[in-house]
């Protein structure tokens, strides 16, 4: 991962487009093997942010919520660049819930994706509390939409903060 995401930070995005633009900057800073955990309530902008990450990484395909498929892989447009693996971590854990297995990375690997995870960038929505199981180092990105809505019920703004770990 490249600066400025090696250090803790915060940005305020007033619109969905600003959230995508921030995601594009983040995507341009990501490198193979990076793991990004997106944490925030329903409607906070996790998929919107991932759309920007995908654009910044230069990957193919339309980015939508991975809710019903667990994980979606987006191939790079340029050979040698990393693929984006977009994961619904909540569903990933739910898929192994009855088995007693708690190895989300193993389950993700078992999805038989075309790319090797260490050569890809993994972005996991709903990853809060699961990070330690997914990777030894990661970037935790928290999306807060509630603060802005409390200040102005018509606001589309969000406060995005990131913390590198490991």
């Amino acid at each position: 991962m490249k600066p400025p995401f090696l250090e803790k930070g915060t940005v305020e995005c007033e619109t969905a487009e600003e959230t995508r633009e921030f995601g594009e900057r983040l995507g341009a800073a990501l490198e193979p093997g990076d793991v990004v955990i997106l944490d925030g309530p329903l409607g906070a902008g996790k998929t919107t942010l991932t759309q920007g990450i995908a654009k910044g990484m230069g990957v193919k395909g339309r980015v939508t919520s991975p809710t019903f498929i667990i994980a979606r892989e987006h191939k790079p447009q340029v050979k040698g660049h990393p693929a984006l693996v977009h994961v619904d971590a909540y569903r990933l854990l739910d898929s192994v819930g009855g088995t007693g297995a708690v190895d989300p990375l193993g389950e993700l690997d078992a999805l038989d994706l075309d790319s090797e995870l260490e050569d890809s960038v993994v972005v996991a929505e709903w990853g809060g509390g699961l990070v330690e199981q997914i990777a030894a180092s990661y970037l935790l990105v928290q999306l807060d939409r509630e603060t802005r809505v409390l200040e102005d019920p018509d606001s589309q703004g969000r406060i995005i903060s990131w913390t590198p770990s490991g």
Side-chain angles (χ1 to χ4, degrees):
M1 188 168 318
K2 300 172 190 163
F5 301 100
L6 296 172
E7 302 291 328
K8 187 175 182 173
T10 300
V11 67
E12 295 185 24
C13 298
E14 294 301 322
T15 64
E17 187 53 39
E18 286 182 18
T19 301
R20 280 188 202 88
E21 289 169 1
F22 170 73
E24 190 172 348
R25 291 191 303 275
L26 174 56
L30 296 173
E31 300 174 313
D34 285 343
V35 174
V36 179
I37 305 299
L38 303 181
D39 195 28
L42 189 63
K46 295 179 292 296
T47 300
T48 301
L49 181 62
T50 305
Q51 290 167 344
I53 291 171
K55 185 174 181 183
M57 288 180 61
V59 297
K60 300 175 186 174
R62 189 173 72 107
V63 173
T64 59
S65 176
T67 300
F68 298 106
I69 59 154
I70 300 178
R72 179 174 284 124
E73 182 179 14
H74 298 275
K75 298 285 188 185
Q77 293 179 15
V78 177
K79 185 174 172 124
H81 285 211
L84 169 64
V85 179
H86 185 198
V87 180
D88 181 332
Y90 181 84
R91 293 255 308 150
L92 184 63
L93 267 187
D94 189 44
S95 73
V96 297
T99 67
V102 187
D103 179 15
L105 188 57
E107 291 300 314
L108 182 58
D109 200 32
L111 292 175
D112 199 26
L113 300 168
D114 290 336
S115 298
E116 296 294 323
L117 294 178
E118 61 270 4
D119 297 330
S120 302
V121 170
V122 175
V123 174
E125 294 191 22
W126 299 100
L130 306 177
V131 252
E132 295 81 6
Q133 298 173 46
I134 293 174
S137 64
Y138 52 88
L139 183 69
L140 176 61
V141 179
Q142 296 175 302
L143 293 94
D144 169 14
R145 224 171 91 52
E146 294 174 10
T147 299
R148 291 299 196 176
V149 170
L150 287 173
E151 294 169 355
D152 175 5
D154 295 326
S155 173
Q156 292 297 309
R158 39 193 66 75
I159 300 168
I160 303 173
S161 46
W162 63 91
T163 306
S165 179

